[in-house]
Amino acid sequence: DQQVKQNSPSLSVQEGRISILNCDYTNSMFDYFLWYKKYPAEGPTFLISISSIKDKNEDGRFTVFLNKSAKHLSLHIVPSQPGDSAVYFCAASQSFGNEKLTFGTGTRLTIIP
Amino acid sequence: EADIYQTPRYLVIGTGKKITLECSQTMGHDKMYWYQQDPGMELHLIHYSYGVNSTEKGDLSSESTVSRIRTEHFPLTLESARPSHTSQYLCASTLGGQAAYEQYFGPGTRLTVT
């Protein structure tokens, strides 16, 4: 049973526009969420995170929004740049006594120049 | 910049061979993890360690074994490789505490068993 779902396997966005990547989760015990970015032939790199006590976290061009009632989070990239082309993974964790991450299947983002 | 290394990066090996995938980190992190990922799929946790002489199995059952004799080293061993073991194996580490979830990943080992 997949507890973290990224239903869009791919997304194409024009350079300069907003990229919105979505993630849904089913486990209500998850209280910490992360986004990772992965280039081909490299390991994932941490991008941004959010705790369940917040509904928004911003870091430069990247903003993560969390809607706990809908069990949904999204990553916004504004403006999108060609270097943002990568696979983006959503991950979730339960903080109390368990720091293991559960990952989604990823969304391949392609920025069109 | 995180310093976590994996060797080999690519490995093609015949069925029945014993293999060890190496993972080392120079950040002094106590917590280390092994993930397995097939193309287009999520990363599955197969082993983790919270410190020296501590190893636990992850959420995905795996025939591999791990050891943690030194803080910086977390090798994964397959005693007898099979084609079903073909996958990408990713090693990660984290400092723990408030930064526990921000795992740093190595570049991965892509294993092909023929």
Side-chain angles (χ1 to χ4, degrees):
Chain A
D1 179 36
Q2 202 172 347
Q3 298 185 67
V4 177
K5 300 178 183 179
Q6 293 178 256
N7 293 318
S8 298
S10 63
L11 176 68
S12 295
V13 175
Q14 289 279 346
E15 182 179 358
R17 301 284 188 121
I18 183 171
S19 295
I20 300 176
L21 295 94
N22 294 302
C23 178
D24 297 294
Y25 61 96
T26 58
N27 188 342
S28 57
M29 299 298 291
F30 288 146
D31 58 2
Y32 200 85
F33 305 89
L34 306 90
W35 284 94
Y36 280 82
K37 177 179 178 179
K38 185 179 185 300
Y39 292 119
E42 294 183 12
T45 55
F46 169 74
L47 195 57
I48 192 169
S49 62
I50 188 167
S51 164
S52 60
I53 62 173
K54 295 184 176 181
D55 54 20
K56 177 183 173 180
N57 189 27
E58 195 170 350
D59 183 2
R61 295 185 299 114
F62 302 93
T63 303
V64 56
F65 295 92
L66 175 62
N67 182 335
K68 290 186 289 294
S69 61
K71 293 192 178 69
H72 176 83
L73 62 153
S74 61
L75 174 68
H76 292 210
I77 306 173
V78 182
S80 300
Q81 300 175 353
D84 297 329
S85 294
V87 178
Y88 289 79
F89 290 95
C90 172
S93 181
Q94 299 170 224
S95 59
F96 183 69
N98 185 337
E99 295 164 344
K100 294 186 287 183
L101 295 178
T102 301
F103 284 84
T105 54
T107 297
R108 181 177 301 279
L109 175 65
T110 302
I111 305 303
I112 304 164
Chain B
E1 191 73 22
D3 294 320
I4 179 164
Y5 308 98
Q6 290 186 244
T7 57
R9 294 291 309 277
Y10 303 91
L11 179 62
V12 180
I13 200 160
T15 297
K17 300 289 187 184
K18 177 180 178 178
I19 58 170
T20 297
L21 307 184
E22 301 288 348
C23 175
S24 295
Q25 49 94 5
T26 58
M27 298 169 283
H29 288 173
D30 284 328
K31 301 180 180 179
M32 297 188 74
Y33 309 82
W34 275 103
Y35 292 88
Q36 183 175 341
Q37 185 194 18
D38 293 324
M41 302 297 288
E42 62 265 50
L43 282 71
H44 288 287
L45 181 68
I46 53 175
H47 297 283
Y48 61 101
S49 167
Y50 283 169
V52 170
N53 294 325
S54 150
T55 61
E56 301 285 345
K57 288 195 177 292
D59 303 322
L60 180 68
S61 175
S62 173
E63 294 167 341
S64 58
T65 59
V66 292
S67 62
R68 189 87 183 276
I69 298 171
R70 303 196 316 265
T71 298
E72 62 271 21
H73 195 213
F74 191 39
L76 181 146
T77 298
L78 275 166
E79 290 292 333
S80 179
R82 295 208 302 264
S84 61
H85 296 138
T86 295
S87 189
Q88 184 176 39
Y89 293 84
L90 291 156
C91 180
S93 71
T94 187
L95 181 61
Q98 286 188 338
Y101 314 106
E102 297 171 15
Q103 296 179 12
Y104 294 92
F105 283 82
T109 294
R110 186 164 295 282
L111 173 66
T112 303
V113 183
T114 60

